[in-house]
Amino acid sequence: MSRFFATGSDSESEESSSADEITPKAPGATFKQSLLLSDDEEDTKRVVRSAKDKRFEELTNLIKTIRNAMKIRDMSKCLEEFEQLCRAFLKSKNIVDKEGVPPFYIRLLADLEDYLNQLWEDKEGKKKMNKNNAKALSTLRQKIRKYNRDFESEIAAYKENPQESADEEEEEKEPEDSGSSSDSEGEVSSKSFLKKKPEAPSEATKFLKSAKGSGDESSSSDEDDDDDDDEDWGSDQSGSSGETSDKEEGKTSSMSMLFLKKAQDTEKPGVRKEERKKKLKQKERIEEEAEEEGGEEAGGGWEKVKGGVPLVKEKPKMFAKGTEINTAVVVKKLNEILQARGKKGTDRAAQIELFHALAAIAAENNLGQGILVKIKFNIIASLYDYNPNLAAFMKPDMWKKCLDCIDELLDILFEHNNIFIGENIAEDSENLAVSDQPFRVRGCILTLVERMDEEFTKIMQNTDPHSQEYVDNLKDEGRVCGIVDRLLTYMENKGSTEEICRVYLRRIMHTYYKFDYKAHRRSLGLQGETKSEQDQEESEGEDSAVIMDRLCKFIYAKDRTDRIRTCAILCHIYHHALHSRWYQARDLMLMSHLQDNIQHADPPVQILYNRTMVQLGICAFRQGMIKDAHNALLDIQSSGRAKELLGQGLLMRNMQERNAEQEKIEKRRQVPFHMHINLELLECVYLVSAMLLEIPYMAAHEFDARRRMISKQFHHQLRVGERQPLLGPPESMREHVVAASKAMKMGDWRTCHSFIINEKMNSKVWDLFPEAQRVREMLVRKIQEESLRTYLFTYSSVYDSISMATLSEMFELEMPTVHSIISKMIINEELMASLDQPTQTVVMHRTEPTSLQNMALQLAEKLGNLVENNERVFDLKQGVYGGYFNRGKFILFSQYFGNLFLTFLNHFFVYFCYHRLILLLDDNELLFVLQIRKVATNRSNPTREVC
């Protein structure tokens, strides 16, 4: 018998003899010796497994790794293992087609999707994730949603009854376990891997455990107890004690029988596993509730500690018992608290509480307002430092505390005129104690208010503009403006000129974009009886125009920095344009010369300039200045990036053009939603302005080869409309403008009017103007006038004369208006005609070229270009421009042959005109041909000189 089974013999003599033969060796040598099995023993230990078990074993191993990663929220590991699991499942496709999708696989897909959705909804948890985990979470969520579409029915069945799915899985696996001949030899099925069971140890490992003694047995039993599913394998204390008693009685049973499942535990695993799942879900739900309620209890509640031993944080005692509270002691304690500011591990909320407690102690002991002001400065600074990230915005509770502290600080400063604050006061020269001298405190209230204003902007930038939360946050603007007004009053008395300019600019930035409806009603004489005293006080207050004029003029006169003056000018122009004061806004823009050097300004100022130009263009449109409106809006609209140039959003770009850091910086420059300019209104104003300018110009220069484009974007929209295979009724704003342009091109002003002004366009665009009806009336007038001009350009060659009364009736314009339009066209030489005053008719002179004449003109122009190109090519070939020898001869030679060629073309053209067209031309057309010949003759004069 082999030494390997020496301890398994029943006779004591045989055991003692074998013990004498075995010499003590190192544990490593014993382990190596235990692996040296005979051929017969190797045959008995070989495990034969089917392809199904191998594939399912691989899947269950990956599933186990994924579940472990889910427990520790390692999304990167989850993503990596899930991709491997998908590849392993693809390899098992043949087996899955025969046997069906294994239930444990469906269970994992369902659990993983629910887990990812739960993490995705936890916004606070996502913020705490690192960058790799957050990216992996997003990627894995998209993949699992796409992957689970192929298993929708199985997942739905599992979610309807998870217990039945687990029971079916166990029923499928139990017959395989009972019918397999290799169960007694330690074979591990897929069920064991699904339940996270350890692999059955080999016979050699069993022998080593039994040979080590009871100490090793107890340690192995401890390891089994630590495992998640140790109860399925009977590794409890009774099992281990039974194993020891069997050895003492002679070890009659086989070693493999110790690791077989016991019949009495067949029903326990499923029940225990369900209980464990319920406890786990309950624990996760409690944790989520705790995270949601975290921060509501400032002190005295439970503190959640993540991993490790919880650190006991005791609040430092303010002062020892019996300590005399005076200014020096409070300042010393204040400096002690400030030393922990910014350090890693500092509890910022606790630090703010300590400041509040210190302020209460100072007020209780009547230490004076100086020390209280200094503590308030530090409280507000700590509130700003609560979020160390610049991109993060303040939480609502911190924001309310910040506003309250600033109000309290301003109350103290207004009540006590003997407090002087400033950044130029050194800490050594501070006077905080109560004395005859005024208090001197180092600090700047203006900087705190400016930071508060920036925090308000960040809050509005990071709030969904279509939610009620945005409206609630916007209500705080009244309080912010009130604080700025109080600071403005304080600075006018005690501040320097530079500080006054800074606070004036803050007030201007909260005023320039708001339309003053009350002043507008007063200007129209619509002011009625007010409903309350508050409304009456507001209506009797200063107009925003008066406030803007006073603040901006002070900055123009006193400011020494270009940036504040530039911002004030732009805001003043914007406010003028918003209230339809076109001439004041235009003159201020032209006198400032900002358009010359605005490209050197910083991006926020450039965004303000773009907003001002857009508002100026819209104002010009409302006043009927169509050309000025088009010129003001041209740069913004032609770029195709109006949204980005106005600071109202970012366009999708490649990572090469803009990296993540640049994107964060640009997001911080965005304008809050309540300050946005309607982009659809902007585009409509631009396209309508382009239509009113471009359509008459196209009609006047229909056959001009060198016709220029006034608006490329408008021409692009026309080409898009022409390329459409089916022309239905217009739906979008652009389609309405294109349809109106086509109608105007034919001189049909009524159809054009119906496309531009209708219920859909009114709701989208025109009703957004303050004086919508006046804008619509102006549009109708412009459409009639430009349609008349287009009609005369298009059909003037058809008429010998036309009555102005007929034109007035066709376009529903007054006779003086028709007379004025036609007179301007004649004076500008746009229309070759004359007015017959007695008969009130327009007599056409017929000097406009016909289509044949236009083609002849184009031919002459192209021939002239051909001659010039020929001369240039000939000169280059002979080396006139770069040659060295005989330069003068080559110049005369090229000029001679070039002019000779031009003379030939001239005579050919004249021959063609005289002999082919003479019969078709009347007197005016013949005069036109003679003019063409004169032009050609002038071109041939140099030839005669050279000859």
Side-chain angles (χ1 to χ4, degrees):
M1 188 175 182
S2 175
R3 291 180 185 176
F4 188 84
F5 291 102
T7 57
S9 175
D10 293 335
S11 70
E12 296 177 7
S13 61
E14 197 173 349
E15 181 179 354
S16 61
S17 62
S18 63
D20 294 336
E21 291 173 1
I22 299 174
T23 58
K25 294 182 180 179
T30 307
F31 180 73
K32 290 178 181 178
Q33 185 179 1
S34 65
L35 296 177
L36 299 175
L37 305 177
S38 64
D39 294 338
D40 297 334
E41 289 166 349
E42 287 183 0
D43 292 337
T44 58
K45 292 306 298 173
R46 182 176 299 147
V47 177
V48 179
R49 290 185 296 172
S50 63
K52 173 185 173 183
D53 289 339
K54 289 180 181 178
R55 292 300 183 189
F56 282 8
E57 177 182 343
E58 183 182 2
L59 293 177
T60 48
N61 282 333
L62 292 170
I63 288 173
K64 182 178 179 181
T65 309
I66 291 175
R67 289 192 181 276
N68 289 337
M70 288 165 61
K71 289 179 182 179
I72 61 175
R73 293 195 176 189
D74 189 355
M75 293 295 103
S76 301
K77 185 69 173 176
C78 277
L79 177 60
E80 180 183 351
E81 296 297 327
F82 178 73
E83 291 174 350
Q84 292 184 10
L85 182 66
C86 294
R87 289 194 290 268
F89 186 77
L90 193 61
K91 291 179 183 178
S92 310
K93 191 174 186 304
N94 295 332
I95 297 173
V96 171
D97 292 341
K98 294 179 183 178
E99 304 291 336
V101 182
F104 61 83
Y105 191 74
I106 298 299
R107 183 187 302 176
L108 175 82
L109 295 180
D111 293 346
L112 184 58
E113 185 176 11
D114 295 340
Y115 174 76
L116 294 176
N117 290 335
Q118 183 181 356
L119 282 183
W120 188 261
E121 293 172 359
D122 184 10
K123 296 183 180 179
E124 295 295 330
K126 281 199 296 183
K127 290 180 182 178
K128 296 176 183 177
M129 285 185 179
N130 58 29
K131 186 177 180 181
N132 293 333
N133 271 349
K135 186 176 180 181
L137 173 62
S138 176
T139 306
L140 182 57
R141 181 170 174 266
Q142 293 177 359
K143 286 190 175 184
I144 194 68
R145 290 173 65 184
K146 185 177 180 181
Y147 189 76
N148 283 4
R149 291 173 188 169
D150 299 333
F151 305 97
E152 287 182 352
S153 58
E154 292 88 347
I155 293 174
Y158 165 73
K159 287 185 177 180
E160 287 177 2
N161 199 340
Q163 183 61 37
E164 279 188 9
S165 302
D167 295 341
E168 290 175 4
E169 184 182 344
E170 290 178 2
E171 289 174 4
E172 288 177 2
K173 298 301 178 183
E174 281 176 2
E176 296 175 6
D177 294 342
S178 61
S180 175
S181 61
S182 59
D183 267 0
S184 60
E185 298 173 359
E187 180 182 358
V188 182
S189 65
S190 61
K191 176 183 172 184
S192 64
F193 280 89
L194 178 62
K195 295 188 176 181
K196 305 177 184 177
K197 297 173 184 174
E199 291 188 11
S202 63
E203 293 290 334
T205 312
K206 297 173 189 176
F207 172 76
L208 288 177
K209 288 185 177 180
S210 63
K212 287 181 182 179
S214 60
D216 292 341
E217 290 170 1
S218 62
S219 64
S220 64
S221 66
D222 291 340
E223 292 176 359
D224 292 339
D225 290 338
D226 291 337
D227 194 69
D228 292 341
D229 299 313
D230 51 24
E231 64 274 359
D232 293 346
W233 292 94
S235 60
D236 53 359
Q237 294 178 0
S238 62
S240 62
S241 62
E243 180 183 349
T244 307
S245 62
D246 289 344
K247 290 179 181 178
E248 292 174 354
E249 291 174 359
K251 305 177 178 62
T252 56
S253 60
S254 174
M255 298 298 294
S256 62
M257 295 297 293
L258 294 174
F259 292 89
L260 289 178
K261 296 180 183 178
K262 296 183 180 180
Q264 59 186 3
D265 294 337
T266 53
E267 296 181 357
K268 290 182 181 179
V271 177
R272 291 181 182 176
K273 196 161 188 178
E274 289 298 325
E275 292 177 356
R276 195 158 49 251
K277 282 186 178 179
K278 290 180 181 178
K279 289 180 181 179
L280 183 60
K281 290 181 179 179
Q282 186 177 3
K283 183 180 178 182
E284 290 177 354
R285 187 171 64 253
I286 292 172
E287 288 178 355
E288 291 175 1
E289 292 175 357
E291 288 179 0
E292 291 176 359
E293 296 175 359
E296 293 181 1
E297 299 179 1
W302 293 97
E303 182 180 0
K304 182 178 178 182
V305 180
K306 295 185 178 179
V309 181
L311 300 175
V312 180
K313 294 183 180 179
E314 295 182 358
K315 293 183 179 179
K317 296 180 180 179
M318 280 294 177
F319 304 104
K321 190 174 182 180
T323 305
E324 183 182 357
I325 307 300
N326 54 30
T327 303
V329 174
V330 173
V331 170
K332 184 179 179 181
K333 178 59 67 175
L334 178 63
N335 291 331
E336 289 179 5
I337 299 173
L338 287 175
Q339 286 176 358
R341 179 181 174 188
K343 291 184 178 180
K344 187 176 182 181
T346 303
D347 189 350
R348 298 183 181 89
Q351 196 176 31
I352 295 171
E353 291 177 9
L354 290 177
F355 281 129
H356 280 290
L358 195 62
I361 292 173
E364 184 180 351
N365 291 273
N366 297 323
L367 298 182
Q369 300 300 324
I371 187 66
L372 196 59
V373 168
K374 187 172 181 63
I375 295 173
K376 290 290 183 183
F377 271 120
N378 287 286
I379 290 174
I380 298 171
S382 299
L383 289 170
Y384 291 147
D385 292 344
Y386 190 79
N387 290 326
N389 189 3
L390 286 175
F393 59 97
M394 294 180 73
K395 294 181 180 179
D397 53 344
M398 292 296 173
W399 170 246
K400 300 297 182 186
K401 288 180 182 178
C402 180
L403 293 179
D404 294 337
C405 285
I406 294 177
D407 272 329
E408 293 172 4
L409 182 58
L410 286 172
D411 290 337
I412 295 172
L413 294 177
F414 275 109
E415 290 174 5
H416 302 84
N417 293 325
N418 60 340
I419 301 176
F420 292 95
I421 57 175
E423 291 178 322
N424 53 353
I425 298 175
E427 292 186 1
D428 298 338
S429 62
E430 283 184 327
N431 182 22
L432 305 176
V434 178
S435 62
D436 296 337
Q437 299 295 327
F439 293 106
R440 292 171 60 85
V441 183
R442 177 179 173 81
C444 182
I445 183 65
L446 176 58
T447 305
L448 297 180
V449 173
E450 286 178 339
R451 178 70 186 273
M452 175 205 67
D453 195 15
E454 293 171 2
E455 290 293 336
F456 176 72
T457 303
K458 283 198 289 187
I459 289 173
M460 303 309 296
Q461 286 173 346
N462 291 275
T463 307
D464 182 12
H466 305 291
S467 63
Q468 183 62 32
E469 184 183 2
Y470 191 91
V471 179
D472 297 336
N473 291 336
L474 189 57
K475 292 177 182 177
D476 291 335
E477 190 184 15
R479 193 171 177 186
V480 171
C481 292
I483 290 174
V484 173
D485 287 334
R486 295 184 66 191
L487 179 64
L488 186 147
T489 305
Y490 178 79
M491 285 297 174
E492 286 177 346
N493 297 326
K494 293 190 175 183
S496 62
T497 304
E498 181 183 355
E499 291 175 336
I500 293 174
C501 290
R502 285 166 61 188
V503 71
Y504 275 8
L505 181 63
R506 289 289 164 182
R507 186 66 182 89
I508 289 169
M509 296 298 285
H510 282 280
T511 307
Y512 80 97
Y513 64 90
K514 297 174 183 175
F515 186 82
D516 194 348
Y517 285 97
K518 293 177 182 177
H520 178 64
R521 286 197 296 268
R522 282 200 295 270
S523 64
L524 297 178
L526 301 177
Q527 184 68 26
E529 296 182 359
T530 54
K531 297 181 180 179
S532 62
E533 295 180 358
Q534 183 179 359
D535 293 338
Q536 189 172 0
E537 291 177 0
E538 291 179 358
S539 63
E540 292 176 356
E542 271 187 308
D543 290 348
S544 60
V546 178
I547 297 173
M548 289 288 295
D549 191 63
R550 176 171 58 85
L551 300 180
C552 291
K553 285 183 177 179
F554 181 87
I555 292 177
Y556 300 157
K558 303 292 184 181
D559 181 61
R560 296 180 182 178
T561 61
D562 291 336
R563 189 181 187 281
I564 294 179
R565 189 189 306 110
T566 301
C567 291
I569 291 173
L570 291 174
C571 292
H572 204 182
I573 296 170
Y574 190 103
H575 193 264
H576 279 315
L578 186 64
H579 292 83
S580 300
R581 295 189 287 270
W582 157 249
Y583 292 104
Q584 292 94 317
R586 184 199 62 181
D587 295 343
L588 189 56
M589 173 62 78
L590 294 176
M591 287 188 297
S592 63
H593 296 284
L594 290 177
Q595 61 272 18
D596 297 336
N597 53 8
I598 193 63
Q599 66 271 14
H600 302 300
D602 54 341
V605 178
Q606 291 184 11
I607 290 174
L608 181 58
Y609 175 80
N610 294 335
R611 287 167 52 80
T612 303
M613 289 302 299
V614 164
Q615 197 61 244
L616 199 61
I618 296 174
C619 174
F621 181 81
R622 290 199 302 267
Q623 300 300 314
M625 311 289 181
I626 303 300
K627 192 171 184 179
D628 292 326
H630 181 269
N631 293 337
L633 301 177
L634 179 62
D635 292 336
I636 300 295
Q637 287 297 120
S638 61
S639 65
R641 299 186 299 123
K643 184 178 182 180
E644 191 171 356
L645 293 175
L646 296 176
Q648 298 182 186
L650 298 179
L651 300 177
M652 298 297 294
R653 290 191 184 181
N654 298 329
M655 293 301 293
Q656 290 81 6
E657 298 181 13
R658 179 175 59 207
N659 55 30
E661 189 63 29
Q662 290 176 343
E663 187 171 353
K664 288 180 182 178
I665 294 173
E666 291 187 9
K667 282 183 178 179
R668 290 200 292 268
R669 295 173 183 155
Q670 300 304 299
V671 178
F673 182 76
H674 64 280
M675 298 171 63
H676 282 193
I677 298 173
N678 192 318
L679 294 178
E680 189 173 14
L681 180 144
L682 172 63
E683 187 178 8
C684 181
V685 167
Y686 175 76
L687 290 178
V688 171
S689 301
M691 177 191 74
L692 294 175
L693 294 174
E694 192 78 62
I695 296 300
Y697 181 81
M698 291 170 62
H701 301 82
E702 185 176 2
F703 302 103
D704 190 354
R706 296 185 177 182
R707 183 180 64 195
R708 62 182 179 86
M709 287 185 185
I710 297 177
S711 171
K712 291 183 179 180
Q713 187 180 5
F714 178 73
H715 277 273
H716 173 70
Q717 296 299 331
L718 288 180
R719 286 194 296 270
V720 169
E722 292 172 357
R723 285 198 298 264
Q724 289 182 354
L726 296 175
L727 290 178
E731 296 180 359
S732 66
M733 177 270 299
R734 296 174 181 176
E735 293 176 356
H736 276 85
V737 175
V738 171
S741 302
K742 293 179 180 178
M744 180 181 282
K745 206 171 182 179
M746 304 300 295
D748 187 358
W749 76 270
R750 290 183 178 84
T751 306
C752 178
H753 167 247
S754 65
F755 282 128
I756 293 295
I757 299 176
N758 50 55
E759 293 183 1
K760 186 178 289 187
M761 292 291 287
N762 287 341
S763 61
K764 282 186 177 182
V765 180
W766 309 124
D767 288 342
L768 301 179
F769 287 116
E771 299 177 358
Q773 186 58 36
R774 189 171 66 84
V775 173
R776 283 191 283 264
E777 291 173 358
M778 180 273 299
L779 268 177
V780 173
R781 185 81 172 183
K782 289 292 180 182
I783 289 172
Q784 291 171 336
E785 292 177 0
E786 297 302 326
S787 297
L788 171 60
R789 284 166 46 82
T790 306
Y791 185 84
L792 291 175
F793 284 135
T794 305
Y795 300 107
S796 61
S797 60
V798 178
Y799 291 98
D800 288 330
S801 63
I802 185 171
S803 172
M804 284 194 292
T806 304
L807 293 175
S808 175
E809 184 179 353
M810 285 176 60
F811 294 94
E812 296 183 6
L813 291 171
E814 300 83 0
M815 282 290 293
T817 305
V818 176
H819 186 278
S820 172
I821 293 172
I822 296 176
S823 299
K824 287 180 182 178
M825 294 174 68
I826 294 173
I827 292 171
N828 295 331
E829 297 183 359
E830 295 175 342
L831 183 66
M832 297 303 173
S834 59
L835 287 174
D836 188 8
Q837 292 291 344
T839 59
Q840 292 291 315
T841 57
V842 182
V843 180
M844 303 297 176
H845 289 175
R846 289 307 203 97
T847 56
E848 290 84 1
T850 62
S851 59
L852 183 61
Q853 293 169 349
N854 281 311
M855 292 173 65
L857 279 174
Q858 292 178 14
L859 176 62
E861 188 69 30
K862 290 179 180 179
L863 288 175
N865 293 334
L866 178 63
V867 171
E868 292 176 3
N869 292 334
N870 182 60
E871 289 179 356
R872 191 176 295 111
V873 171
F874 186 77
D875 291 342
L876 289 173
K877 191 172 182 181
Q878 298 299 327
V880 173
Y881 295 115
Y884 183 78
F885 300 103
N886 299 327
R887 183 175 298 175
K889 295 181 181 179
F890 278 118
I891 292 175
L892 292 176
F893 187 75
S894 62
Q895 288 179 354
Y896 176 76
F897 280 100
N899 291 323
L900 188 62
F901 181 67
L902 181 60
T903 306
F904 168 73
L905 292 176
N906 180 23
H907 289 297
F908 173 77
F909 180 73
V910 173
Y911 175 81
F912 176 79
C913 290
Y914 276 120
H915 293 81
R916 296 294 179 182
L917 301 178
I918 195 68
L919 299 177
L920 302 175
L921 304 180
D922 56 9
D923 294 339
N924 292 328
E925 291 172 341
L926 184 59
L927 179 63
F928 176 75
V929 172
L930 292 175
Q931 290 176 353
I932 295 175
R933 185 178 182 279
K934 184 178 179 181
V935 172
T937 305
N938 291 335
R939 290 188 176 183
S940 64
N941 285 336
T943 307
R944 295 170 183 168
E945 293 176 3
V946 174
C947 292

